């Protein structure tokens, strides 16, 4: 699903990411890698391995769209307890395969306390937000003021579709006049239900498609 914002074409992908073709850029948010490991550290026996599924999805998108730049709009990891020995090893192998890619991470609220560890990964770390062409890329948890069109994550938007007794909740992109909110990329993420409102458009994400939800 292609949309035009700030005079730029942006493709909304069913993998819960966006593609800015002019810059060979892939944007994702709220990956929450290592969430299972963080729960294990708290005594919850959640099985490991979901981070590998998400890394494989990123690899697929990099190869499919010939990506040169990846921007993570915050919450690459779930918290400072996410970085187990296995997760760190898998990170190193992943980044070694994609060493041609320029990686930017906007530090989100879940990365609090893990900045020093994250500096060991090949990210250009951004503390607040970053301007890229006509866009302000931000995690979305601090509501920066800018005249630029904002692309953010943070809220994990989902939309509830219903037809008679049938109910289905799907991740979604939310497009407002000056802002695009992207869904959470990670496999182990919940979401916040949004509702169509005046001046906004909602694009639901299914397994293989992105489609606009009619009001």
């Amino acid at each position: 699903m292609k949309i035009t914002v700030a005079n730029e074409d942006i493709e909304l992908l069913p993998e819960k990411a966006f593609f800015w073709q002019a810059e060979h850029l892939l944007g994702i948010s709220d990956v929450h890698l290592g969430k299972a490991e963080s729960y294990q550290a708290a005594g919850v026996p959640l099985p490991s391995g979901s981070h590998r599924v998400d890394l494989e999805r990123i690899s697929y998108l990099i190869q499919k769209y010939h990506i040169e730049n990846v921007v993570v709009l915050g919450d690459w990891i779930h918290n400072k307890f996410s970085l187990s020995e296995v997760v760190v090893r898998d990170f190193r192998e992943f980044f070694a395969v994609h060493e041609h890619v320029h990686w930017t991470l906007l530090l989100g609220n879940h990365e609090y306390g893990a900045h020093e560890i994250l500096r060991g990964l090949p990210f250009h770390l951004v503390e607040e937000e970053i301007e890229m062409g006509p866009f302000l890329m931000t995690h979305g948890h601090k509501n920066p003021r800018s005249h630029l069109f904002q692309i953010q994550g943070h809220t994990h938007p989902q939309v509830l579709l219903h037809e008679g007794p049938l109910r289905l909740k799907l991740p979604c992109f939310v497009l407002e006049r000056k802002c695009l909110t992207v869904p959470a990329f990670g496999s182990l993420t919940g979401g916040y239900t949004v509702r169509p409102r005046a001046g906004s458009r909602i694009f639901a994400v299914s397994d293989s498609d992105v489609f606009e939800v009619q009001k």
Side-chain angles (χ1 to χ4, degrees):
M1 169 70 73
K2 287 187 179 180
I3 61 173
T4 300
V5 290
N7 296 317
E8 293 285 343
D9 291 332
I10 297 292
E11 186 171 354
L12 310 181
L13 306 177
E15 291 82 7
K16 298 181 291 185
F18 67 90
F19 174 47
W20 183 8
Q21 184 175 3
E23 298 296 326
H24 305 282
L25 185 147
L26 177 71
I28 59 176
S29 188
D30 300 278
V31 194
H32 291 272
L33 297 172
K35 185 172 184 177
E37 285 70 20
S38 68
Y39 272 72
Q40 292 165 12
V44 180
L46 201 64
S48 299
S50 62
H51 68 280
R52 294 193 182 109
V53 175
D54 291 330
L55 292 175
E56 287 171 3
R57 288 166 56 220
I58 297 171
S59 292
Y60 166 77
L61 292 171
I62 289 173
Q63 294 167 8
K64 179 177 180 179
Y65 293 98
H66 307 289
I67 296 300
E68 298 175 2
N69 301 286
V70 174
V71 175
V72 182
L73 301 175
D75 293 352
W76 170 257
I77 60 172
H78 188 63
N79 62 29
K80 62 183 180 180
F81 300 108
S82 299
L83 295 169
S84 68
E85 183 178 340
V86 171
V87 171
V88 171
R89 183 197 65 202
D90 289 345
F91 279 177
R92 288 174 179 161
E93 293 177 359
F94 170 80
F95 285 116
V97 171
H98 302 297
E99 60 183 0
H100 67 287
V101 174
H102 183 268
W103 298 86
T104 300
L105 171 60
L106 283 63
L107 293 166
N109 53 301
H110 273 262
E111 271 116 6
Y112 181 78
H115 295 188
E116 287 301 322
I117 301 172
L118 290 168
R119 288 191 177 96
L121 302 176
F123 281 118
H124 168 55
L125 296 183
V126 178
E127 294 278 353
E128 299 289 341
E129 62 271 347
I130 187 170
E131 294 183 9
M132 292 186 164
F135 301 123
L136 183 76
M137 304 285 188
T138 175
H139 181 52
H141 65 306
K142 293 187 177 180
N143 298 315
R145 296 182 180 274
S146 173
H147 67 283
L148 298 176
F149 186 91
Q150 185 167 314
I151 301 180
Q152 64 179 18
H154 181 53
T155 56
H156 304 198
Q158 297 182 334
V159 61
L160 179 63
L161 306 179
H162 54 87
E163 183 66 32
L166 301 177
R167 296 289 189 273
L168 178 64
K169 188 179 287 188
L170 294 174
C172 66
F173 296 86
V174 180
L175 177 61
E176 299 173 283
R177 188 177 67 87
K178 292 287 291 181
C179 180
L180 173 68
T181 304
V182 305
F185 185 88
S187 301
L188 291 180
T189 54
Y192 169 74
T193 302
V194 298
R195 292 174 175 81
R197 61 183 183 181
S200 69
R201 300 169 67 187
I202 293 178
F203 300 90
V205 179
S206 69
D207 288 339
S208 60
D209 199 11
V210 177
F211 59 95
E212 185 165 4
V213 176
Q214 300 303 316
K215 297 179 182 179

